[in-house]
Amino acid sequence: MSVLDSAPLDVLDSYRTCEFATLGRDGTPVAWPAAVWRRPDGTLLLSTSLAFAQKALNIRRDGRVALLFSDPTGSGRTAPPQIFVGGHAECPDEIMTGPQGAEEYWRMLFARQPHSRSYLSAPMRPLMDWYYLRLLITVTPRQVVVRPPSPAPDAPARTPAPVGGLVGAARLARFPTAVLAARDASGAPVLARTRPVPTAEGFAVAVPADCPAAPGPASLLAHRHDERLNNMYNVLVPGELRTGDGGPVLVPGKVVEPMGTGRVSDAVGVLRSTKRATDRYLSRRGLSRPRVQWQEFRALARDTRRP
């Protein structure tokens, strides 16, 4: 028996993404969408490219992490329960250039994200090698909480409240809900999907009783993708969780959009930034750029059945 056995595993496996939170250098819990593969031993496998290695660096400083399975887009389920998982993560400083040791994870990605197969074509390789240079993250669950279903992902977006100058209000207003990443009394990250409401103080957030979010560094993540993990967009609003007159309030500090605003014109900038970030990770370790095992990835993609 593993800790995960208390969760509805068929539901967990059907989620295409989860929100994955690590603790930043300043203690702020930061969440990003991530794909997860559940291993037979009850651990969870994730990965991150060298271009977005901050998750790995955070884990190497503090292994406490949290995952929330709350956006059912693409799962084939209309109103599945949400699943929160708290645990400890490890991320060795070993750059994976091929799928060996994570074959099932890559099969899952190729099946659920068909457009990623195009990155393997010869014309795309010089631009997309960063995508295949990966660090593997293993999470050992220590806590599982099953919550009621989240609001329908296709619910209409809210109209921005007339709160002048509230950082992130226009971005978050495009989404019916967002995910609060906070810390509990021990400092471990916790996650909860909520409806942030702009106020004069900040974003008022309703937190379920089983999410012991304490005042302190926190953030709000909003993200979306289609049923084939395409047309992705995510935005993070870090700040501070405070106790307001009507309950918890996230006072925002800034807006982070790692993949741009979603416009086609952002693509060139994203490719440049991913190359620079990959080069920086390698340079700090005195490493030359490894060669991706393209043929091994291509063979695995060919053997993976499309959905």
Side-chain angles (χ1 to χ4, degrees), residues 128-161:
M128 298 302 298
D129 68 336
W130 61 268
Y131 180 84
Y132 290 99
L133 296 174
R134 297 266 179 149
L135 303 168
L136 299 184
I137 299 169
T138 298
V139 176
T140 301
R142 293 180 175 172
Q143 178 193 19
V144 172
V145 177
V146 180
R147 296 177 182 153
S150 59
D154 58 353
R158 294 171 287 104
T159 301

PDB file of all heavy atoms in Angstrom, residues 128-161:
ATOM      1  N   MET A 128      14.343  23.210 -31.120  1.00  0.00           N
ATOM      2  CA  MET A 128      13.614  22.573 -30.030  1.00  0.00           C
ATOM      3  C   MET A 128      14.421  21.571 -29.235  1.00  0.00           C
ATOM      4  O   MET A 128      13.859  20.816 -28.433  1.00  0.00           O
ATOM      5  CB  MET A 128      12.360  21.880 -30.585  1.00  0.00           C
ATOM      6  CG  MET A 128      11.360  22.816 -31.246  1.00  0.00           C
ATOM      7  SD  MET A 128      10.760  24.139 -30.153  1.00  0.00           S
ATOM      8  CE  MET A 128       9.956  23.194 -28.865  1.00  0.00           C
ATOM      9  N   ASP A 129      15.753  21.549 -29.385  1.00  0.00           N
ATOM     10  CA  ASP A 129      16.510  20.565 -28.615  1.00  0.00           C
ATOM     11  C   ASP A 129      16.367  20.807 -27.115  1.00  0.00           C
ATOM     12  O   ASP A 129      16.416  19.886 -26.308  1.00  0.00           O
ATOM     13  CB  ASP A 129      17.973  20.514 -29.050  1.00  0.00           C
ATOM     14  CG  ASP A 129      18.742  21.784 -28.709  1.00  0.00           C
ATOM     15  OD1 ASP A 129      18.097  22.846 -28.557  1.00  0.00           O
ATOM     16  OD2 ASP A 129      19.976  21.705 -28.598  1.00  0.00           O
ATOM     17  N   TRP A 130      16.177  22.064 -26.696  1.00  0.00           N
ATOM     18  CA  TRP A 130      16.003  22.367 -25.270  1.00  0.00           C
ATOM     19  C   TRP A 130      14.821  21.615 -24.666  1.00  0.00           C
ATOM     20  O   TRP A 130      14.837  21.282 -23.481  1.00  0.00           O
ATOM     21  CB  TRP A 130      15.799  23.876 -25.078  1.00  0.00           C
ATOM     22  CG  TRP A 130      14.578  24.421 -25.778  1.00  0.00           C
ATOM     23  CD1 TRP A 130      14.530  24.936 -27.036  1.00  0.00           C
ATOM     24  CD2 TRP A 130      13.252  24.485 -25.265  1.00  0.00           C
ATOM     25  NE1 TRP A 130      13.251  25.324 -27.350  1.00  0.00           N
ATOM     26  CE2 TRP A 130      12.443  25.054 -26.273  1.00  0.00           C
ATOM     27  CE3 TRP A 130      12.656  24.124 -24.056  1.00  0.00           C
ATOM     28  CZ2 TRP A 130      11.075  25.269 -26.113  1.00  0.00           C
ATOM     29  CZ3 TRP A 130      11.295  24.329 -23.876  1.00  0.00           C
ATOM     30  CH2 TRP A 130      10.515  24.904 -24.901  1.00  0.00           C
ATOM     31  N   TYR A 131      13.803  21.343 -25.494  1.00  0.00           N
ATOM     32  CA  TYR A 131      12.608  20.659 -25.011  1.00  0.00           C
ATOM     33  C   TYR A 131      12.933  19.236 -24.562  1.00  0.00           C
ATOM     34  O   TYR A 131      12.290  18.697 -23.644  1.00  0.00           O
ATOM     35  CB  TYR A 131      11.555  20.641 -26.126  1.00  0.00           C
ATOM     36  CG  TYR A 131      10.254  19.970 -25.761  1.00  0.00           C
ATOM     37  CD1 TYR A 131       9.254  20.660 -25.085  1.00  0.00           C
ATOM     38  CD2 TYR A 131      10.004  18.640 -26.115  1.00  0.00           C
ATOM     39  CE1 TYR A 131       8.047  20.048 -24.763  1.00  0.00           C
ATOM     40  CE2 TYR A 131       8.812  18.027 -25.791  1.00  0.00           C
ATOM     41  CZ  TYR A 131       7.836  18.732 -25.114  1.00  0.00           C
ATOM     42  OH  TYR A 131       6.650  18.112 -24.800  1.00  0.00           O
ATOM     43  N   TYR A 132      13.920  18.618 -25.196  1.00  0.00           N
ATOM     44  CA  TYR A 132      14.256  17.217 -24.911  1.00  0.00           C
ATOM     45  C   TYR A 132      15.431  17.055 -23.957  1.00  0.00           C
ATOM     46  O   TYR A 132      15.748  15.928 -23.574  1.00  0.00           O
ATOM     47  CB  TYR A 132      14.535  16.477 -26.221  1.00  0.00           C
ATOM     48  CG  TYR A 132      13.275  16.285 -27.036  1.00  0.00           C
ATOM     49  CD1 TYR A 132      12.962  17.128 -28.085  1.00  0.00           C
ATOM     50  CD2 TYR A 132      12.376  15.277 -26.711  1.00  0.00           C
ATOM     51  CE1 TYR A 132      11.789  16.974 -28.810  1.00  0.00           C
ATOM     52  CE2 TYR A 132      11.205  15.113 -27.427  1.00  0.00           C
ATOM     53  CZ  TYR A 132      10.915  15.961 -28.473  1.00  0.00           C
ATOM     54  OH  TYR A 132       9.745  15.809 -29.166  1.00  0.00           O
ATOM     55  N   LEU A 133      16.074  18.140 -23.576  1.00  0.00           N
ATOM     56  CA  LEU A 133      17.125  18.064 -22.559  1.00  0.00           C
ATOM     57  C   LEU A 133      16.447  18.240 -21.204  1.00  0.00           C
ATOM     58  O   LEU A 133      16.096  19.354 -20.810  1.00  0.00           O
ATOM     59  CB  LEU A 133      18.180  19.144 -22.801  1.00  0.00           C
ATOM     60  CG  LEU A 133      18.961  19.003 -24.111  1.00  0.00           C
ATOM     61  CD1 LEU A 133      19.879  20.210 -24.308  1.00  0.00           C
ATOM     62  CD2 LEU A 133      19.761  17.703 -24.142  1.00  0.00           C
ATOM     63  N   ARG A 134      16.257  17.147 -20.490  1.00  0.00           N
ATOM     64  CA  ARG A 134      15.378  17.153 -19.324  1.00  0.00           C
ATOM     65  C   ARG A 134      16.079  16.730 -18.040  1.00  0.00           C
ATOM     66  O   ARG A 134      17.066  15.988 -18.047  1.00  0.00           O
ATOM     67  CB  ARG A 134      14.205  16.194 -19.562  1.00  0.00           C
ATOM     68  CG  ARG A 134      13.290  16.575 -20.720  1.00  0.00           C
ATOM     69  CD  ARG A 134      12.133  17.381 -20.255  1.00  0.00           C
ATOM     70  NE  ARG A 134      11.266  17.784 -21.348  1.00  0.00           N
ATOM     71  CZ  ARG A 134       9.952  17.964 -21.225  1.00  0.00           C
ATOM     72  NH1 ARG A 134       9.357  17.750 -20.062  1.00  0.00           N
ATOM     73  NH2 ARG A 134       9.233  18.369 -22.265  1.00  0.00           N
ATOM     74  N   LEU A 135      15.496  17.211 -16.939  1.00  0.00           N
ATOM     75  CA  LEU A 135      15.834  16.765 -15.596  1.00  0.00           C
ATOM     76  C   LEU A 135      14.609  16.050 -15.049  1.00  0.00           C
ATOM     77  O   LEU A 135      13.483  16.544 -15.176  1.00  0.00           O
ATOM     78  CB  LEU A 135      16.181  17.960 -14.707  1.00  0.00           C
ATOM     79  CG  LEU A 135      17.327  18.850 -15.196  1.00  0.00           C
ATOM     80  CD1 LEU A 135      17.368  20.145 -14.399  1.00  0.00           C
ATOM     81  CD2 LEU A 135      18.652  18.114 -15.094  1.00  0.00           C
ATOM     82  N   LEU A 136      14.813  14.873 -14.466  1.00  0.00           N
ATOM     83  CA  LEU A 136      13.700  14.083 -13.950  1.00  0.00           C
ATOM     84  C   LEU A 136      13.449  14.398 -12.478  1.00  0.00           C
ATOM     85  O   LEU A 136      14.382  14.525 -11.682  1.00  0.00           O
ATOM     86  CB  LEU A 136      13.973  12.591 -14.118  1.00  0.00           C
ATOM     87  CG  LEU A 136      14.158  12.091 -15.559  1.00  0.00           C
ATOM     88  CD1 LEU A 136      14.330  10.576 -15.558  1.00  0.00           C
ATOM     89  CD2 LEU A 136      12.983  12.508 -16.445  1.00  0.00           C
ATOM     90  N   ILE A 137      12.179  14.520 -12.129  1.00  0.00           N
ATOM     91  CA  ILE A 137      11.746  14.827 -10.766  1.00  0.00           C
ATOM     92  C   ILE A 137      10.891  13.678 -10.258  1.00  0.00           C
ATOM     93  O   ILE A 137       9.904  13.305 -10.894  1.00  0.00           O
ATOM     94  CB  ILE A 137      10.928  16.131 -10.732  1.00  0.00           C
ATOM     95  CG1 ILE A 137      11.774  17.304 -11.228  1.00  0.00           C
ATOM     96  CG2 ILE A 137      10.394  16.394  -9.325  1.00  0.00           C
ATOM     97  CD1 ILE A 137      10.974  18.570 -11.471  1.00  0.00           C
ATOM     98  N   THR A 138      11.270  13.123  -9.122  1.00  0.00           N
ATOM     99  CA  THR A 138      10.490  12.052  -8.493  1.00  0.00           C
ATOM    100  C   THR A 138       9.885  12.576  -7.203  1.00  0.00           C
ATOM    101  O   THR A 138      10.596  13.093  -6.339  1.00  0.00           O
ATOM    102  CB  THR A 138      11.369  10.827  -8.188  1.00  0.00           C
ATOM    103  OG1 THR A 138      11.880  10.306  -9.424  1.00  0.00           O
ATOM    104  CG2 THR A 138      10.566   9.744  -7.484  1.00  0.00           C
ATOM    105  N   VAL A 139       8.563  12.436  -7.083  1.00  0.00           N
ATOM    106  CA  VAL A 139       7.851  12.884  -5.896  1.00  0.00           C
ATOM    107  C   VAL A 139       7.369  11.679  -5.104  1.00  0.00           C
ATOM    108  O   VAL A 139       6.703  10.787  -5.661  1.00  0.00           O
ATOM    109  CB  VAL A 139       6.639  13.769  -6.260  1.00  0.00           C
ATOM    110  CG1 VAL A 139       5.850  14.147  -4.995  1.00  0.00           C
ATOM    111  CG2 VAL A 139       7.103  15.024  -6.990  1.00  0.00           C
ATOM    112  N   THR A 140       7.701  11.642  -3.827  1.00  0.00           N
ATOM    113  CA  THR A 140       7.183  10.623  -2.922  1.00  0.00           C
ATOM    114  C   THR A 140       6.031  11.244  -2.130  1.00  0.00           C
ATOM    115  O   THR A 140       6.260  12.135  -1.300  1.00  0.00           O
ATOM    116  CB  THR A 140       8.271  10.140  -1.957  1.00  0.00           C
ATOM    117  OG1 THR A 140       9.365   9.598  -2.718  1.00  0.00           O
ATOM    118  CG2 THR A 140       7.728   9.066  -1.015  1.00  0.00           C
ATOM    119  N   PRO A 141       4.784  10.833  -2.404  1.00  0.00           N
ATOM    120  CA  PRO A 141       3.637  11.434  -1.715  1.00  0.00           C
ATOM    121  C   PRO A 141       3.636  11.113  -0.224  1.00  0.00           C
ATOM    122  O   PRO A 141       3.995  10.009   0.194  1.00  0.00           O
ATOM    123  CB  PRO A 141       2.434  10.798  -2.410  1.00  0.00           C
ATOM    124  CG  PRO A 141       2.946  10.350  -3.742  1.00  0.00           C
ATOM    125  CD  PRO A 141       4.362   9.910  -3.463  1.00  0.00           C
ATOM    126  N   ARG A 142       3.241  12.089   0.574  1.00  0.00           N
ATOM    127  CA  ARG A 142       3.118  11.909   2.015  1.00  0.00           C
ATOM    128  C   ARG A 142       1.735  12.268   2.522  1.00  0.00           C
ATOM    129  O   ARG A 142       1.385  11.971   3.659  1.00  0.00           O
ATOM    130  CB  ARG A 142       4.182  12.748   2.729  1.00  0.00           C
ATOM    131  CG  ARG A 142       5.602  12.251   2.456  1.00  0.00           C
ATOM    132  CD  ARG A 142       6.659  13.085   3.166  1.00  0.00           C
ATOM    133  NE  ARG A 142       7.990  12.511   2.970  1.00  0.00           N
ATOM    134  CZ  ARG A 142       9.114  13.112   3.346  1.00  0.00           C
ATOM    135  NH1 ARG A 142       9.073  14.308   3.924  1.00  0.00           N
ATOM    136  NH2 ARG A 142      10.287  12.517   3.145  1.00  0.00           N
ATOM    137  N   GLN A 143       0.939  12.933   1.697  1.00  0.00           N
ATOM    138  CA  GLN A 143      -0.408  13.327   2.075  1.00  0.00           C
ATOM    139  C   GLN A 143      -1.283  13.388   0.830  1.00  0.00           C
ATOM    140  O   GLN A 143      -0.835  13.851  -0.221  1.00  0.00           O
ATOM    141  CB  GLN A 143      -0.402  14.704   2.758  1.00  0.00           C
ATOM    142  CG  GLN A 143      -1.784  15.211   3.157  1.00  0.00           C
ATOM    143  CD  GLN A 143      -1.783  16.679   3.540  1.00  0.00           C
ATOM    144  OE1 GLN A 143      -0.853  17.413   3.185  1.00  0.00           O
ATOM    145  NE2 GLN A 143      -2.801  17.124   4.252  1.00  0.00           N
ATOM    146  N   VAL A 144      -2.510  12.927   0.954  1.00  0.00           N
ATOM    147  CA  VAL A 144      -3.476  13.001  -0.141  1.00  0.00           C
ATOM    148  C   VAL A 144      -4.796  13.525   0.413  1.00  0.00           C
ATOM    149  O   VAL A 144      -5.264  13.064   1.456  1.00  0.00           O
ATOM    150  CB  VAL A 144      -3.701  11.629  -0.809  1.00  0.00           C
ATOM    151  CG1 VAL A 144      -4.844  11.701  -1.814  1.00  0.00           C
ATOM    152  CG2 VAL A 144      -2.435  11.149  -1.499  1.00  0.00           C
ATOM    153  N   VAL A 145      -5.375  14.498  -0.276  1.00  0.00           N
ATOM    154  CA  VAL A 145      -6.682  15.043   0.093  1.00  0.00           C
ATOM    155  C   VAL A 145      -7.551  15.048  -1.161  1.00  0.00           C
ATOM    156  O   VAL A 145      -7.133  15.568  -2.204  1.00  0.00           O
ATOM    157  CB  VAL A 145      -6.576  16.475   0.657  1.00  0.00           C
ATOM    158  CG1 VAL A 145      -7.967  17.025   0.968  1.00  0.00           C
ATOM    159  CG2 VAL A 145      -5.699  16.499   1.903  1.00  0.00           C
ATOM    160  N   VAL A 146      -8.729  14.459  -1.077  1.00  0.00           N
ATOM    161  CA  VAL A 146      -9.675  14.452  -2.194  1.00  0.00           C
ATOM    162  C   VAL A 146     -10.741  15.512  -1.931  1.00  0.00           C
ATOM    163  O   VAL A 146     -11.361  15.527  -0.865  1.00  0.00           O
ATOM    164  CB  VAL A 146     -10.322  13.071  -2.369  1.00  0.00           C
ATOM    165  CG1 VAL A 146     -11.301  13.081  -3.542  1.00  0.00           C
ATOM    166  CG2 VAL A 146      -9.248  12.005  -2.596  1.00  0.00           C
ATOM    167  N   ARG A 147     -10.926  16.407  -2.907  1.00  0.00           N
ATOM    168  CA  ARG A 147     -11.859  17.516  -2.764  1.00  0.00           C
ATOM    169  C   ARG A 147     -12.967  17.436  -3.807  1.00  0.00           C
ATOM    170  O   ARG A 147     -12.821  16.751  -4.824  1.00  0.00           O
ATOM    171  CB  ARG A 147     -11.114  18.851  -2.917  1.00  0.00           C
ATOM    172  CG  ARG A 147     -10.083  19.107  -1.838  1.00  0.00           C
ATOM    173  CD  ARG A 147      -9.323  20.407  -2.089  1.00  0.00           C
ATOM    174  NE  ARG A 147      -8.299  20.607  -1.067  1.00  0.00           N
ATOM    175  CZ  ARG A 147      -7.185  21.292  -1.243  1.00  0.00           C
ATOM    176  NH1 ARG A 147      -6.951  21.868  -2.419  1.00  0.00           N
ATOM    177  NH2 ARG A 147      -6.304  21.423  -0.258  1.00  0.00           N
ATOM    178  N   PRO A 148     -14.054  18.164  -3.586  1.00  0.00           N
ATOM    179  CA  PRO A 148     -15.134  18.194  -4.583  1.00  0.00           C
ATOM    180  C   PRO A 148     -14.640  18.735  -5.916  1.00  0.00           C
ATOM    181  O   PRO A 148     -13.591  19.392  -5.986  1.00  0.00           O
ATOM    182  CB  PRO A 148     -16.169  19.139  -3.947  1.00  0.00           C
ATOM    183  CG  PRO A 148     -15.865  19.124  -2.492  1.00  0.00           C
ATOM    184  CD  PRO A 148     -14.377  18.944  -2.379  1.00  0.00           C
ATOM    185  N   PRO A 149     -15.381  18.484  -6.990  1.00  0.00           N
ATOM    186  CA  PRO A 149     -14.966  18.965  -8.320  1.00  0.00           C
ATOM    187  C   PRO A 149     -14.815  20.483  -8.346  1.00  0.00           C
ATOM    188  O   PRO A 149     -15.492  21.211  -7.617  1.00  0.00           O
ATOM    189  CB  PRO A 149     -16.109  18.515  -9.235  1.00  0.00           C
ATOM    190  CG  PRO A 149     -16.748  17.368  -8.508  1.00  0.00           C
ATOM    191  CD  PRO A 149     -16.616  17.674  -7.054  1.00  0.00           C
ATOM    192  N   SER A 150     -13.913  20.942  -9.202  1.00  0.00           N
ATOM    193  CA  SER A 150     -13.746  22.380  -9.402  1.00  0.00           C
ATOM    194  C   SER A 150     -14.824  22.865 -10.365  1.00  0.00           C
ATOM    195  O   SER A 150     -15.451  22.065 -11.068  1.00  0.00           O
ATOM    196  CB  SER A 150     -12.360  22.676  -9.963  1.00  0.00           C
ATOM    197  OG  SER A 150     -12.173  22.013 -11.194  1.00  0.00           O
ATOM    198  N   PRO A 151     -15.055  24.177 -10.429  1.00  0.00           N
ATOM    199  CA  PRO A 151     -16.028  24.713 -11.394  1.00  0.00           C
ATOM    200  C   PRO A 151     -15.659  24.325 -12.811  1.00  0.00           C
ATOM    201  O   PRO A 151     -14.487  24.087 -13.124  1.00  0.00           O
ATOM    202  CB  PRO A 151     -15.940  26.225 -11.177  1.00  0.00           C
ATOM    203  CG  PRO A 151     -15.400  26.378  -9.788  1.00  0.00           C
ATOM    204  CD  PRO A 151     -14.475  25.215  -9.579  1.00  0.00           C
ATOM    205  N   ALA A 152     -16.653  24.261 -13.677  1.00  0.00           N
ATOM    206  CA  ALA A 152     -16.413  23.864 -15.063  1.00  0.00           C
ATOM    207  C   ALA A 152     -15.362  24.754 -15.695  1.00  0.00           C
ATOM    208  O   ALA A 152     -15.413  25.980 -15.564  1.00  0.00           O
ATOM    209  CB  ALA A 152     -17.708  23.950 -15.866  1.00  0.00           C
ATOM    210  N   PRO A 153     -14.362  24.172 -16.379  1.00  0.00           N
ATOM    211  CA  PRO A 153     -13.283  24.980 -16.963  1.00  0.00           C
ATOM    212  C   PRO A 153     -13.751  25.921 -18.048  1.00  0.00           C
ATOM    213  O   PRO A 153     -13.078  26.885 -18.370  1.00  0.00           O
ATOM    214  CB  PRO A 153     -12.319  23.930 -17.517  1.00  0.00           C
ATOM    215  CG  PRO A 153     -13.153  22.713 -17.728  1.00  0.00           C
ATOM    216  CD  PRO A 153     -14.187  22.735 -16.635  1.00  0.00           C
ATOM    217  N   ASP A 154     -14.937  25.637 -18.648  1.00  0.00           N
ATOM    218  CA  ASP A 154     -15.416  26.514 -19.706  1.00  0.00           C
ATOM    219  C   ASP A 154     -16.406  27.548 -19.195  1.00  0.00           C
ATOM    220  O   ASP A 154     -17.134  28.165 -19.962  1.00  0.00           O
ATOM    221  CB  ASP A 154     -16.058  25.695 -20.832  1.00  0.00           C
ATOM    222  CG  ASP A 154     -17.218  24.829 -20.329  1.00  0.00           C
ATOM    223  OD1 ASP A 154     -17.427  24.764 -19.100  1.00  0.00           O
ATOM    224  OD2 ASP A 154     -17.904  24.226 -21.167  1.00  0.00           O
ATOM    225  N   ALA A 155     -16.448  27.738 -17.872  1.00  0.00           N
ATOM    226  CA  ALA A 155     -17.307  28.774 -17.318  1.00  0.00           C
ATOM    227  C   ALA A 155     -16.864  30.131 -17.847  1.00  0.00           C
ATOM    228  O   ALA A 155     -15.686  30.352 -18.106  1.00  0.00           O
ATOM    229  CB  ALA A 155     -17.236  28.762 -15.789  1.00  0.00           C
ATOM    230  N   PRO A 156     -17.801  31.057 -18.036  1.00  0.00           N
ATOM    231  CA  PRO A 156     -17.425  32.358 -18.609  1.00  0.00           C
ATOM    232  C   PRO A 156     -16.456  33.115 -17.718  1.00  0.00           C
ATOM    233  O   PRO A 156     -16.519  33.055 -16.490  1.00  0.00           O
ATOM    234  CB  PRO A 156     -18.767  33.090 -18.712  1.00  0.00           C
ATOM    235  CG  PRO A 156     -19.656  32.412 -17.711  1.00  0.00           C
ATOM    236  CD  PRO A 156     -19.224  30.976 -17.708  1.00  0.00           C
ATOM    237  N   ALA A 157     -15.529  33.792 -18.357  1.00  0.00           N
ATOM    238  CA  ALA A 157     -14.565  34.595 -17.605  1.00  0.00           C
ATOM    239  C   ALA A 157     -15.265  35.765 -16.935  1.00  0.00           C
ATOM    240  O   ALA A 157     -16.273  36.270 -17.418  1.00  0.00           O
ATOM    241  CB  ALA A 157     -13.467  35.103 -18.548  1.00  0.00           C
ATOM    242  N   ARG A 158     -14.720  36.206 -15.823  1.00  0.00           N
ATOM    243  CA  ARG A 158     -15.306  37.318 -15.097  1.00  0.00           C
ATOM    244  C   ARG A 158     -14.858  38.643 -15.701  1.00  0.00           C
ATOM    245  O   ARG A 158     -13.790  38.747 -16.287  1.00  0.00           O
ATOM    246  CB  ARG A 158     -14.870  37.270 -13.621  1.00  0.00           C
ATOM    247  CG  ARG A 158     -15.400  36.073 -12.876  1.00  0.00           C
ATOM    248  CD  ARG A 158     -14.765  35.971 -11.494  1.00  0.00           C
ATOM    249  NE  ARG A 158     -13.374  35.534 -11.580  1.00  0.00           N
ATOM    250  CZ  ARG A 158     -12.335  36.352 -11.418  1.00  0.00           C
ATOM    251  NH1 ARG A 158     -12.522  37.631 -11.175  1.00  0.00           N
ATOM    252  NH2 ARG A 158     -11.106  35.889 -11.497  1.00  0.00           N
ATOM    253  N   THR A 159     -15.700  39.636 -15.546  1.00  0.00           N
ATOM    254  CA  THR A 159     -15.336  40.979 -15.965  1.00  0.00           C
ATOM    255  C   THR A 159     -14.470  41.611 -14.889  1.00  0.00           C
ATOM    256  O   THR A 159     -14.800  41.526 -13.704  1.00  0.00           O
ATOM    257  CB  THR A 159     -16.600  41.838 -16.176  1.00  0.00           C
ATOM    258  OG1 THR A 159     -17.420  41.215 -17.157  1.00  0.00           O
ATOM    259  CG2 THR A 159     -16.225  43.248 -16.633  1.00  0.00           C
ATOM    260  N   PRO A 160     -13.344  42.221 -15.261  1.00  0.00           N
ATOM    261  CA  PRO A 160     -12.487  42.824 -14.242  1.00  0.00           C
ATOM    262  C   PRO A 160     -13.250  43.809 -13.367  1.00  0.00           C
ATOM    263  O   PRO A 160     -14.018  44.627 -13.854  1.00  0.00           O
ATOM    264  CB  PRO A 160     -11.413  43.536 -15.070  1.00  0.00           C
ATOM    265  CG  PRO A 160     -11.423  42.851 -16.396  1.00  0.00           C
ATOM    266  CD  PRO A 160     -12.831  42.405 -16.620  1.00  0.00           C
ATOM    267  N   ALA A 161     -13.055  43.693 -12.079  1.00  0.00           N
ATOM    268  CA  ALA A 161     -13.675  44.646 -11.165  1.00  0.00           C
ATOM    269  C   ALA A 161     -12.977  45.992 -11.286  1.00  0.00           C
ATOM    270  O   ALA A 161     -11.790  46.064 -11.599  1.00  0.00           O
ATOM    271  CB  ALA A 161     -13.576  44.127  -9.727  1.00  0.00           C
TER     272      ALA A 161
END
